Amino acid sequence: MVGLQERKRALAMGIDYEGPTRATLSGQRFKCVFWGLAAVCAGLVLFLLKIARAIWWKPLQVKRAFEAQGIKGPPYRLFYGNSADISTMIDEQRAKPMPLSHDILPRVLPHYHQWTKTYGQDFIFWFGPHARLVVPHPELIKEILSTKFGNYPRFADDPLSKQLFGQGLAGLTGEKWTRHRKIINPAFHMDLLKGMIPTIVKSCASMLEVWSKLITSGSPEIDVQKEFRDLTSHVIARTAFGSSFAEGKHIFDLQGKQMILALESFRTVYIPGFRFLPTTKNRQRWNVEKEIRRSLRQVIDAREKTDGMKKTGRYGVDLLGFMMSQSKDQMGVNGRSNGGLSTEEIIDECKTFYFAGHETTSLLLTWSIILLGIHQDWQEKGRREALQVCGKNNYPDADNLSRLKIVGMIINEALRLYPPAVFLSRHASEQTKLGKLSIPAGTQFMLPILEIHHDPSLWGSDAKDFNPGRFSEGIAKAAKHPMAFMPFGAGPTICVGQNLALLEAKLVLAMILQKFSFVTSPSYTHAPSLFITLKPEYGAQVIFRMD
């Protein structure tokens, strides 16, 4: 339009107008290309500056802030932090044999052990560009775990490792956590848990019958790690979800694969967007996750169609039933939820409890049997109590369970020496004060449960020895600080399933002591290792005999 007007004006003035020259048009194109490239370059520069700030400038500022307060640690390495050093130290320790000792910290957390000797109890290390402050002081841990103001939430796991638990209680924070916890809590009330005792006893009796046949056939060596995994899988499938053993085992097997895949991501720094690439591992992750969710959805659909639900409108008194009933009760007008859990949220909670519900108890039983196989004096004390309280042929029940004091002490000592989770993680959501320290926003905390459970200043000179007697007057008087014992965490986020885990472990251990004596096998290799939870790396071989 502008060119046409110029041409008309030129003709009116008697001037021959030829329009813009090629040079002019070329110059205009050049300007367009130039400014386009300039915009792209500016965006790229801003992007690179943002990355530089995240992986260099911010870590440098955090490092200086802690050093000014006397907190040091291993040097920060660009992008990866100290993750490669940690992996190397863990691999080196696993390659070495370990004596039959309960001083397991150097093997399980070698980086923590080494850096404590170099930098002192209070130090920072780096996982990627994030600073992790070690907090080994019970009073400060109490402040972190007991706060009601949300200053120290769990920090978000990378999307690959998050698949293991989904968006269940173990990974939620804030209002969503509060809503889920409120719905789930009633399922773990002690009166309801006592109603699960017959199912637990029946499952354990079946396992012990198989053991008896193995012993009489001349095969007394049993890998109890595998046996307890199957047992607790069956128990959690039946008591929490009403599933058949076959359904439960299928889901547990899938979660076992998912745990191996998640473990790989726990030891490496996550690269944003990597989970969307169709690599071999990612395709495996996608397929396993899809199959787990499909299987859990089938369990939920089956519960919807049960006769009991059709007659009463209730879904049962187990964990799944509570979640589904609460969700139905809180369904508002137009079918919209006013606080209940959606089907996908229920699936996420099922994922969490299928994993955590059997993993914690199976490992607690495994380490208890290993410890009693080594320490025959306490095995004999536990057996005498089990026979005195329950008799030779009567199974434990809700009435005599509380009288198994020594069995309870043994379980607590196993949890102290070999806690399923060896540390907890939190982070500072904003700039805050912790004790005398000023904590920059975003700082992550490592709360070393294993170190605190083995600390002689809290437990006495025999802290690394197996001595259930320290719990003879209860947990409160066993150590010098109430936060010295926290195998299930502490504060508002303490594990919701701890009572079920302890009840099941007490029942099963008492039933084993009633029927068998045992010793740790010569083929057993003592190799506690961290595979998300604390496990015997090469199994738990024990030789049994019938009394």
Side-chain angles (χ1 to χ4, degrees):
M1 181 66 71
V2 174
L4 182 59
Q5 291 173 349
E6 288 178 350
R7 182 176 180 83
K8 287 181 178 179
R9 281 197 295 268
L11 290 172
M13 297 171 63
I15 301 171
D16 186 20
Y17 179 77
E18 296 294 336
T21 65
R22 288 186 177 181
T24 302
L25 291 172
S26 179
Q28 290 175 345
R29 293 192 194 99
F30 175 78
K31 286 181 180 179
C32 290
V33 172
F34 171 80
W35 287 113
L37 288 174
V40 171
C41 290
L44 182 60
V45 168
L46 288 174
F47 177 70
L48 292 174
L49 286 174
K50 187 175 181 180
I51 292 178
R53 182 183 184 277
I55 69 173
W56 176 70
W57 178 248
K58 188 176 180 180
L60 181 63
Q61 295 299 101
V62 171
K63 182 174 180 289
R64 287 174 176 171
F66 277 115
E67 286 180 344
Q69 302 176 79
I71 305 296
K72 298 182 179 180
Y76 170 66
R77 303 186 194 281
L78 199 63
F79 189 75
Y80 289 103
N82 304 121
S83 59
D85 300 325
I86 294 172
S87 293
T88 298
M89 284 189 267
I90 290 174
D91 291 340
E92 287 176 351
Q93 282 298 317
R94 284 184 178 170
K96 301 175 184 177
M98 180 183 174
L100 201 58
S101 163
H102 307 312
D103 185 13
I104 63 174
L105 184 69
R107 176 185 172 84
V108 176
L109 295 174
H111 55 291
Y112 176 86
H113 178 69
Q114 183 61 47
W115 290 335
T116 299
K117 291 194 296 184
T118 304
Y119 303 106
Q121 268 195 314
D122 303 284
F123 66 91
I124 61 169
F125 64 100
W126 302 86
F127 199 80
H130 303 291
R132 289 191 177 178
L133 174 66
V134 174
V135 184
H137 309 292
E139 197 60 35
L140 296 183
I141 291 176
K142 180 180 178 181
E143 182 177 341
I144 291 172
L145 295 181
S146 300
T147 179
K148 297 180 181 179
F149 303 107
N151 294 338
Y152 306 110
R154 299 182 181 96
F155 58 82
D157 293 322
D158 69 70
L160 294 178
S161 57
K162 191 180 288 187
Q163 284 185 347
L164 186 60
F165 298 109
Q167 286 293 299
L169 273 178
L172 293 178
T173 58
E175 183 278 331
K176 286 192 73 174
W177 178 89
T178 302
R179 178 166 59 89
H180 282 230
R181 181 82 180 217
K182 182 179 179 180
I183 290 172
I184 290 168
N185 262 341
F188 291 95
H189 190 278
M190 186 53 73
D191 288 340
L192 291 174
L193 295 183
K194 288 180 179 178
M196 299 178 183
I197 289 177
T199 300
I200 298 171
V201 167
K202 183 178 179 181
S203 298
C204 183
S206 296
M207 179 188 74
L208 299 186
E209 185 177 344
V210 173
W211 288 13
S212 297
K213 291 178 180 177
L214 288 172
I215 294 167
T216 55
S217 68
S219 301
E221 182 175 296
I222 298 171
D223 184 347
V224 295
Q225 182 182 15
K226 179 182 180 300
E227 294 291 310
F228 290 144
R229 184 182 184 277
D230 288 345
L231 170 67
T232 55
S233 297
H234 184 245
V235 169
I236 198 69
R238 294 296 299 166
T239 58
F241 303 106
S243 305
S244 69
F245 177 70
E247 286 175 332
K249 188 176 187 305
H250 177 59
I251 294 171
F252 288 125
D253 288 343
L254 288 169
Q255 284 198 313
K257 296 177 183 177
Q258 199 168 55
M259 185 169 68
I260 294 171
L261 292 167
L263 183 62
E264 295 178 6
S265 65
F266 280 141
R267 294 180 61 179
T268 58
V269 176
Y270 175 70
I271 300 173
F274 177 76
R275 62 181 165 136
F276 300 110
L277 299 178
T279 64
T280 301
K281 293 292 185 182
N282 277 348
R283 287 198 299 270
Q284 290 176 4
R285 291 184 176 99
W286 301 338
N287 291 335
V288 170
E289 173 69 4
K290 182 179 179 180
E291 178 62 16
I292 289 175
R293 300 189 80 85
R294 186 195 66 79
S295 298
L296 289 171
R297 195 171 285 107
Q298 283 184 334
V299 173
I300 294 170
D301 291 343
R303 183 66 64 93
E304 288 273 8
K305 299 172 183 176
T306 58
D307 291 336
M309 192 284 295
K310 293 176 181 177
K311 292 177 182 178
T312 66
R314 310 304 295 173
Y315 294 93
V317 295
D318 56 13
L319 175 62
L320 180 60
F322 266 101
M323 291 191 291
M324 294 177 69
S325 296
Q326 289 285 322
S327 297
K328 180 182 177 183
D329 290 345
Q330 298 186 45
M331 194 68 69
V333 294
N334 300 322
R336 305 178 91 175
S337 175
N338 290 333
L341 303 181
S342 68
T343 299
E344 292 305 308
E345 287 177 317
I346 291 175
I347 288 173
D348 283 320
E349 290 300 350
C350 288
K351 278 169 62 70
T352 297
F353 284 98
Y354 258 110
F355 175 79
H358 85 93
E359 185 79 1
T360 298
T361 310
S362 66
L363 289 173
L364 170 53
L365 285 165
T366 297
W367 289 117
S368 296
I369 292 296
I370 289 173
L371 287 164
L372 292 180
I374 298 169
H375 301 278
Q376 294 288 309
D377 53 339
W378 280 102
Q379 182 184 149
E380 184 55 34
K381 291 176 183 178
R383 180 178 298 106
R384 282 202 303 266
E385 180 185 70
L387 291 172
Q388 181 180 351
V389 171
C390 306
K392 177 70 174 177
N393 300 311
N394 298 320
Y395 296 133
D397 56 31
D399 294 331
N400 56 32
L401 200 61
S402 61
R403 294 162 54 202
L404 295 169
K405 302 293 186 183
I406 293 175
V407 174
M409 288 157 50
I410 290 168
I411 288 171
N412 283 336
E413 184 71 340
L415 283 169
R416 185 186 73 85
L417 287 173
Y418 297 87
V422 299
F423 64 87
L424 295 176
S425 301
R426 296 291 187 271
H427 81 283
S429 58
E430 57 187 39
Q431 178 88 16
T432 188
K433 290 282 288 185
L434 181 66
K436 297 179 180 179
L437 294 178
S438 177
I439 307 296
T443 299
Q444 298 176 353
F445 301 111
M446 176 185 177
L447 315 181
I449 294 176
L450 185 61
E451 162 67 15
I452 291 167
H453 280 195
H454 288 229
D455 188 347
S457 69
L458 296 169
W459 295 94
S461 58
D462 66 343
K464 294 177 174 61
D465 297 334
F466 178 71
N467 177 20
R470 70 179 83 247
F471 290 98
S472 59
E473 296 182 60
I475 293 173
K477 295 184 179 181
K480 296 179 181 179
H481 194 284
M483 295 295 291
F485 185 68
M486 47 181 174
F488 296 98
T493 58
I494 193 168
C495 176
V496 69
Q498 67 165 330
N499 287 336
L500 175 58
L502 292 172
L503 180 145
E504 184 179 351
K506 202 171 188 180
L507 278 170
V508 173
L509 186 57
M511 290 176 68
I512 292 171
L513 289 170
Q514 280 179 286
K515 195 162 188 176
F516 305 107
S517 59
F518 50 91
V519 62
T520 306
S521 172
S523 64
Y524 168 70
T525 300
H526 193 53
S529 299
L530 186 59
F531 294 95
I532 301 179
T533 49
L534 184 61
K535 299 181 179 181
E537 187 167 355
Y538 305 109
Q541 297 79 18
V542 176
I543 296 175
F544 288 86
R545 70 172 177 271
M546 298 175 64
D547 290 340

